[in-house]
Amino acid sequence: MQIIKKRKVIAFLLIGIALLAFLWLASIPTLQAANEQADDLVVTVDPDSKSVTQIFNLTIKDKNPNDSKVIVPLNGNFTFIDSLEGGSTVTKDEAKQQLIIDWPEGGEKKAVLKFKATTYGTYTLRAYTIRDTQMVTSAPVEINYEAEAQADSKEAVDAKTEKAAEKKNNANGN
């Protein structure tokens, strides 16, 4: 009788452990397939390399007729100023640090967003949307912002040096 009770207790313990293990494994999020890059969601930037005091435009074009919105993740390295063209509605989600672009029904899916860099460096931007519960991203674009002194072209530096030399010569009476 003692052996039967022990076997029942062991069996219940094993069943309980197996059930807990199953529940634990079921609660672990499964890895989705890698995010897909879509050719019909395009992001371009103009200009692609400037100083931090200048403004750049980010253009988003979405050629998929089923997309109703696109999201552009932001970071603290640039500030969204305004939406310049397109019939889209742009909303800034402060909590998630992203812009949400709602496309107009039946209209062109193009938005031009105006930004200003706040710190210099190289940044990668992309847009994404959800299609059939799968995240689809645009190809990334890279923006290079240099410190003001580095952003001057060689010609501008040479012109400044030449003007300084002329002033010095004029001051010396030459």
Side-chain angles (χ1 to χ4, degrees):
M1 192 77 157
Q2 289 277 340
I3 295 175
I4 295 174
K5 282 186 176 181
K6 281 185 180 179
R7 285 186 181 169
K8 282 184 180 179
V9 168
I10 291 173
F12 280 122
L13 283 173
L14 289 175
I15 291 171
I17 290 171
L19 183 61
L20 286 174
F22 174 76
L23 291 174
W24 178 73
L25 288 173
S27 69
I28 296 174
T30 57
L31 292 175
Q32 299 277 331
N35 294 338
E36 292 184 31
Q37 188 171 308
D39 292 334
D40 58 0
L41 182 59
V42 180
V43 176
T44 56
V45 65
D46 178 46
D48 60 355
S49 181
K50 291 292 177 184
S51 70
V52 294
T53 59
Q54 294 181 333
I55 291 171
F56 69 93
N57 294 332
L58 188 72
T59 302
I60 296 134
K61 293 181 183 178
D62 188 354
K63 296 176 185 165
N64 187 304
N66 298 322
D67 291 344
S68 61
K69 67 177 61 196
V70 170
I71 297 172
V72 179
L74 302 175
N75 61 34
N77 299 317
F78 42 84
T79 304
F80 172 66
I81 298 173
D82 197 8
S83 176
L84 299 176
E85 65 180 75
S88 61
T89 304
V90 180
T91 308
K92 185 174 182 182
D93 184 343
E94 293 284 347
K96 293 183 181 178
Q97 285 298 297
Q98 63 188 14
L99 294 178
I100 301 166
I101 303 168
D102 290 303
W103 297 124
E105 243 182 85
E108 180 184 25
K109 295 180 180 179
K110 177 183 176 184
V112 179
L113 309 174
K114 186 175 177 181
F115 290 93
K116 182 176 192 273
T118 56
T119 59
Y120 62 92
T122 301
Y123 310 109
T124 302
L125 288 170
R126 69 177 70 212
Y128 72 89
T129 189
I130 306 296
R131 296 180 186 161
D132 298 325
T133 69
Q134 179 70 31
M135 181 188 297
V136 178
T137 67
S138 67
V141 292
E142 200 170 83
I143 303 168
N144 181 25
Y145 275 85
E146 301 171 342
E148 193 66 44
Q150 294 173 333
D152 289 338
S153 67
K154 184 180 181 331
E155 293 83 16
V157 171
D158 290 344
K160 287 180 184 177
T161 305
E162 194 175 304
K163 283 184 183 180
E166 282 180 31
K167 282 184 180 180
K168 185 177 181 182
N169 285 340
N170 288 340
N172 291 334
N174 294 336

